[in-house]
Amino acid sequence: MFVNSLYFITSNELTPENIVSGIKINEQHAVFEGHFPNSPVLPGVVQLQIVKEILETHLERKLAMKTMRTCKFLEVLNPGKNQNVRILIKYKQSEMLEVTASGEDNGKVFFKMQANYL
């Protein structure tokens, strides 16, 4: 949905239960025209969608969020100041896919979330 337009994956470190993806955000993407002019912010819901897209690509299947235990947006993600972000994902398959994820750049943590996917 957003991969290769809003963001581009620049690196991947994969283990059986972890994904660390480096992404580069396209600060010229249309989403920033409305969110917000002259003060761009990557919407929180889009940050969560990026986690889902990275998981779907890695697991080679579609996912649907079932529950969200926690979600905190800790810093504003301005694409002009933070074009390169690391997405850290830990996951465990049980009845559902249990996921803990965060987005970071240079010591700033933009979001943390825990969710379950089907």
Side-chain angles (χ1 to χ4, degrees):
M1 183 170 159
F2 290 116
V3 69
N4 298 324
S5 65
L6 174 63
Y7 71 96
F8 302 88
I9 296 175
T10 58
S11 65
N12 273 317
E13 298 172 31
L14 308 170
T15 67
E17 294 184 342
N18 294 289
I19 305 167
V20 178
S21 292
I23 64 168
K24 180 168 179 58
I25 298 171
N26 173 10
E27 64 182 304
Q28 302 304 315
H29 192 275
V31 73
F32 299 116
E33 292 173 11
H35 209 271
F36 297 95
N38 301 319
S39 185
V41 173
L42 187 64
V45 69
V46 174
Q47 295 175 54
L48 300 180
Q49 179 66 25
I50 290 170
V51 170
K52 180 178 175 264
E53 289 181 16
I54 290 170
L55 276 166
E56 288 177 335
T57 298
H58 178 66
L59 299 173
E60 299 179 331
R61 64 183 170 122
K62 292 289 182 188
L63 297 171
M65 187 182 290
K66 175 71 175 172
T67 61
M68 180 170 284
R69 263 185 291 163
T70 62
C71 183
K72 295 181 181 180
F73 296 98
L74 305 165
E75 294 278 345
V76 170
L77 204 167
N78 177 324
K81 295 179 182 174
N82 307 100
Q83 289 181 341
N84 299 298
V85 177
R86 285 178 5 122
I87 305 295
L88 298 94
I89 302 170
K90 294 180 183 184
Y91 63 95
K92 181 176 135 184
Q93 184 67 58
S94 57
E95 280 184 42
M96 292 184 270
L97 186 67
E98 300 173 12
V99 175
T100 301
S102 63
E104 306 174 356
D105 180 37
N106 290 322
K108 280 188 180 179
V109 178
F110 300 107
F111 73 91
K112 292 182 178 183
M113 55 94 72
Q114 293 179 317
N116 293 318
Y117 293 85
L118 296 174

